[in-house]
DNA sequence: CCCGACATTGCACGCCTGTGCATCAGGTTC
DNA sequence: GAACCTGATGCACAGGCGTGCAATGTCGGG
């Protein structure tokens, strides 16, 4: 009936204590697992808390405790199939681990990554998961000094107090090359963006190495950002050449979609009859009937699992750790059947 | 050289004060815009802060201030093109407004939305932007009582202290119907998922209303979740019927992609020659050459803009506000040219 | 030289919680 | 009945910050 306490601020433990006729300590203990409170008191507190709509202030709790429960996700181009899948998996996993994700956008520039990390420090984030862009050594040290653990995904650098999560990109690239050779591709090609990412470089490296061992030099098209539009451009470039490729490894599904569309709609080529295409990531669109793309599946849930497990574990000393996961091949219809 | 202060916790204002030989107050004032500090003191403080890697603790700051600077984004199925675009726009906009986004996943169930909101309250979020799922009235009141402002996107309910952001979905549906009629469609169809969303329902309603005025009853296929796979199923259902539709309005691009693929790859139909398709959202894939979909563009940046503007504004009284935005039509090649 | 205006600085308090320590009630054992 | 143990409870403090208030120092004007 008489609903007081409607001012402006949130309802605090003192309000609950007042309403329940107990001390504020009792309220605190009620919401602290393992603390000593009598069932009677606890019941009174819970009743009052429910009536007032009380919730423990995690900010204040984070002041005293060493952990705030917040983990920063630092990411560029979230509106991209692979990224959004990974972020979704990460937030999911963090939540079930009792933590919560704070999203910080960057534009891939070093400056914006630095700003993002500083903001993360400002909120006393337990850790930061960096999906894109690269903090330099000094920045990483600053994070460490502020008790902020760093998770680097798809990066080569390894620093103290840091965990790296990597895929077997090189092996996947090699497998792509072997697959194309087995299909009988005589003019295999590599399509990649110009973005200097460790994982993209590793995929290309593995691809080239296998071909080189067979004495084959791949046709290459490398430019642009990692996007569908670049894929289109790469495709039209490749198919306009004298020696038209008959098998293409695209370091990313997004690129592969563009390449396939260029082949079909701009050059009237049939996939896989005239051309085999292999991608990487297994974004949802790779499974769409318009593409039916043979590709490598990013183990997003395994990646998320590894990150969160490390975060939940004890603050491992100062050695850098590395987690390696493998990308399973997914067979669809963009590669001639004999290749399997 | 002598790097002390390497314990465990983060570096605090007191550490900086000690290093700079000033009071902790001076440090606080240095980082508080508009506070009174002499240039000399400020310089000493900044130097010490840089050397130690100090960053103001936003958690503690949020304790005193009324605002924490955190805004919760409550969303399901983030790994979906439209959602990820919207979330990306929102986090971007929030950041430039000096706030930061906290991502909370839900599985669309009411229970998980409730849990999400409670977590948001726990972190004394300034506001919560609900992209999917629906808090009930009691829950909204609890938020309000805790000083948490609520932004509801694509919802019908309007409650005190809340803002709704809506599109002119009904008008768009109507326009889709008029467009199909103009192309000469004799058997127009509606494809929708079974998810009971206000916006989807409004699109369908507008579509049906225009047709009804012309004495036409659309062929309808309505089932499943809002996904590409459902689109495939809807398409195969529709194209298997006696009276095969020659124009389809899909309430979502994701559905439309599935419908187009079903038409092309399962029934050998040509788009737009045998069939016109209109979607909604303008997800990136709608612009891909494989689809070239005519659709309605979700004004994601305008939506984000509206949300953040409201959040940054004064805590408007207790009336519910509503923002209406319009979805511009995007012409591509999935509708016969004469339709324009 | 004196006085008022003003900028700067530090003390102390409040914000909200968790927790060590002391207190106290209640019950058990001899 | 006394000594003792146990579980519950409250006090007081810490944690990092912003800010009102008072004190100090500085400068200009008269």
């Amino acid at each position: 009936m008489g609903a007081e306490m409607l001012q402006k601020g949130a309802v605090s433990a003192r309000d609950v204590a007042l309403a329940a006729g107990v001390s504020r300590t009792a309220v605190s203990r009620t919401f602290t697992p393992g603390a000593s409170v009598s069932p009677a008191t606890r019941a009174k507190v819970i009743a009052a808390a429910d009536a007032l709509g009380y919730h423990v202030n995690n900010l204040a709790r984070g002041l005293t405790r060493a952990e705030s429960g917040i983990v920063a996700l630092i990411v560029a181009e979230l509106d991209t199939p692979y990224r959004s899948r990974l972020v979704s998996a990460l937030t999911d996993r963090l939540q079930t681990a009792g933590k919560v994700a704070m999203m910080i956008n960057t534009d891939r520039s070093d400056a914006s990554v630095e700003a993002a990390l500083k903001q993360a420090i400002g909120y006393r984030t337990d850790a930061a998961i960096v999906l894109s862009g690269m903090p330099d050594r000094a920045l990483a040290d600053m994070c460490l000094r502020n008790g902020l653990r760093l998770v680097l995904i798809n990066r080569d650098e390894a620093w103290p107090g840091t965990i790296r999560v990597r895929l077997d990109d090189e092996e996947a690239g090699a497998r792509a090359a072997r697959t194309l050779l087995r299909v009988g591709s005589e003019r295999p090609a590599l399509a990649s963006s110009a973005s200097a990412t460790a994982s993209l470089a590793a995929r290309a490296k593995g691809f080239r190495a296998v071909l080189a061992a067979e004495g084959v030099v791949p046709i290459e098209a490398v430019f642009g950002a990692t996007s569908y539009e670049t894929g289109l451009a790469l495709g039209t470039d490749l198919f306009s050449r004298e020696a038209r490729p008959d098998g293409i490894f695209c370091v990313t599904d997004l690129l592969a979609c563009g390449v396939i569309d260029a082949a079909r709609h701009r050059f009237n080529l049939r996939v896989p009859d005239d051309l085999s295409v292999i991608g990487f990531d297994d974004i949802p669109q790779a499974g769409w009937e318009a593409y039916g793309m043979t590709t490598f599946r990013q183990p997003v849930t395994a990646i998320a699992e590894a990150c969160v497990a490390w975060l939940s574990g004890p603050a491992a000393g100062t050695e850098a750790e590395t987690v390696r996961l493998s990308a399973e091949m997914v067979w669809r219809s963009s590669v001639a059947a004999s290749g399997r």
Side-chain angles (χ1 to χ4, degrees), chain A:
Chain A
M1 307 294 180
E4 343 71 347
M5 272 284 71
L6 241 300
Q7 287 86 317
K8 60 181 197 311
V11 26
S12 78
R14 197 173 55 190
D15 302 331
V16 177
L18 222 62
V22 299
S23 77
R24 191 192 58 76
T25 307
V27 178
S28 177
R29 291 214 163 93
T30 298
F31 293 101
T32 303
S36 164
V37 207
S38 76
T41 314
R42 154 170 271 120
K44 278 193 295 184
V45 169
I46 299 256
D50 279 350
L52 270 60
Y54 169 72
H55 292 271
V56 178
N57 185 336
N58 284 98
L59 271 48
R61 178 178 271 178
L63 250 190
T64 310
R65 290 197 182 296
E67 316 228 324
S68 66
I70 309 179
V71 173
L73 257 44
I74 298 179
V75 53
E77 296 165 6
L78 170 62
D79 53 341
T80 251
Y82 162 58
R83 290 271 164 59
S84 64
R85 258 183 67 207
L86 184 51
V87 167
S88 181
L90 280 168
T91 54
D92 251 358
R93 203 64 201 71
L94 283 173
Q95 260 173 264
T96 68
K99 301 186 180 299
V100 61
M102 173 171 281
M103 278 277 313
I104 306 185
N105 268 354
T106 73
D107 57 6
R108 298 195 91 110
S109 75
D110 288 354
S112 77
V113 172
E114 177 164 350
L117 279 175
K118 286 186 176 172
Q119 189 163 23
I121 294 178
Y123 279 101
R124 292 304 185 267
T125 295
D126 290 342
I129 303 179
V130 182
L131 302 193
S132 30
M134 195 50 219
D136 63 8
R137 179 62 194 263
L139 207 53
D141 279 345
M142 169 182 293
C143 291
L144 193 61
R145 212 178 331 162
N146 278 281
L148 197 158
R149 310 174 72 180
L150 231 40
V151 178
L152 306 176
I153 297 191
N154 280 338
R155 295 295 152 181
D156 264 348
E157 294 81 354
W159 294 324
T162 282
I163 186 180
R164 287 188 309 165
V165 178
R166 290 287 261 117
L167 295 185
D168 53 352
D169 294 293
E170 198 165 334
E171 166 55 23
R175 188 157 178 202
R178 286 195 295 269
T179 302
L180 289 183
L181 290 177
R182 200 172 322 133
V183 181
S185 169
E186 297 179 350
R187 294 178 304 283
L190 172 70
S192 174
S193 72
S195 91
T197 310
S199 44
L200 299 193
R203 289 167 206 166
K205 184 180 173 193
F207 184 75
R208 291 194 195 101
V210 164
L211 293 184
E214 298 291 327
V216 180
V217 311
I219 307 169
E220 296 205 9
V222 178
F223 56 77
T226 307
S227 67
Y228 170 83
E229 286 73 21
T230 296
L232 274 180
L234 290 171
T236 61
D237 176 16
L238 286 170
F239 303 134
S240 307
R241 300 192 187 184
E242 194 85 21
R244 171 186 300 160
D246 55 3
I248 307 186
F249 173 48
C250 305
V251 294
T252 272
D253 277 356
L254 225 39
L255 295 176
C257 287
V259 166
I260 289 181
D261 277 351
R264 286 210 184 116
H265 301 104
R266 296 186 176 180
F267 291 84
N268 231 344
L269 298 172
R270 290 167 306 163
V271 178
D273 311 293
D274 303 325
L275 171 77
S276 288
V277 176
I278 300 179
F280 197 107
D281 280 347
D282 194 28
I283 61 177
Q285 289 74 32
W288 289 9
E289 299 208 353
Y291 298 102
M293 200 184 305
T294 293
T295 183
F296 296 86
R297 175 172 300 146
Q298 282 264 12
V300 283
T301 62
I303 294 175
E305 185 74 38
C307 293
V308 177
W310 183 74
L311 290 182
S312 305
T318 47
E319 328 95 75
E321 292 182 43
T322 298
V323 170
R324 287 211 153 262
L325 299 170
S326 67
E328 179 193 357
M329 197 157 183
V330 182
W331 290 92
R332 295 208 183 87
S333 54
S334 67
V335 171
S338 63
R340 184 151 193 168

